[in-house]
Structures are given as structure tokens and as C-alpha cells.
Amino acid sequence: YGTSSAGLETGALYYLNSDGGWASASAAATGSGHTQLLGVSIGAKPAEDGMLIRGFFDVHTYYSGSFTKGAPAYIHSGSSGYVSDQAPSASDSYVRIIGYGTDTANVVYFNPDSTYVEIA
């Protein structure tokens, strides 16, 4: 479900905006995934290919940092659509955990927290 004004990148992190479209999530800007439904793109066309909203996913293509088993994964504040091992720390960004590393390299249990912290 949902739409997209352009093709989505398989494996990238998106949020469902108020128009019902999927847009790239980035912790650098409040309003781009801090309170919205998150999903990982399964293919370029969300209505046909689907979006993972909970489950296990290999994030190797869109992962920034060092993967650690059992550690939290966050919405990245640098590149849109990426997941990171580091919590954002810059002013005007936000911190939201999207899941945790499993015992398999680069596989995250994608289960986004519904809470976030905004950094002043």
C-alpha cells in the first residue's frame, strides 16, 4: 500500500507521509520519520512489491557504521533512507530506534519504536 512519486530503493528506510506516499526517512529533520509509520522497501513499487513494516531484514546496503549483535539500530541522520549503529546527536535532529541486530551479520529485527527524542 502507499504511493511514491519516484521509484523506491530496495532495502532503504521510508516513512508514510500525510499524503499516503512513502518518503525517505532521515533523523536530520523532524517530520521525516519521527512519528510516522516506517517501512523498508521490498522493491521499487510499494503497491506492487510491498513494504516491510515489521520483521527481519538484511540491511547491508543501507547500513552505516559497525553492525553489532543485539545492539539498537537507529534512523540515520546523514543519508536519507539509511539505518545506523549510532544515535543522532546534532541539534534539530531526533533519535528513534528502528530495531535490533540479530546474531546474523547485517540482519536487523525491524520493529520501530513508537517513541522518539528530539535534540534541541
Side-chain angles (χ1 to χ4, degrees):
Y1 58 90
T3 62
S4 175
S5 59
L8 302 182
E9 297 293 326
T10 301
L13 182 65
Y14 294 90
Y15 71 95
L16 190 63
N17 65 28
S18 60
D19 294 327
W22 292 100
S24 290
S26 172
T30 301
S32 61
H34 74 299
T35 61
Q36 294 89 352
L37 177 67
L38 296 176
V40 175
S41 178
I42 303 301
K45 299 176 182 175
E48 293 175 26
D49 302 319
M51 298 292 287
L52 177 72
I53 57 172
R54 183 168 294 136
F56 296 91
F57 197 80
D58 187 333
V59 296
H60 73 279
T61 304
Y62 287 92
Y63 194 84
S64 176
S66 299
F67 183 85
T68 304
K69 296 174 182 179
Y74 303 90
I75 298 175
H76 193 267
S77 64
S79 303
S80 293
Y82 275 74
V83 174
S84 176
D85 67 329
Q86 298 293 312
S89 59
S91 296
D92 298 325
S93 59
Y94 65 91
V95 177
R96 183 175 177 189
I97 294 175
I98 60 93
Y100 293 87
T102 67
D103 65 346
T104 303
N106 300 317
V107 174
V108 169
Y109 174 54
F110 183 71
N111 185 15
D113 197 317
S114 60
T115 61
Y116 70 98
V117 174
E118 191 168 352
I119 302 170

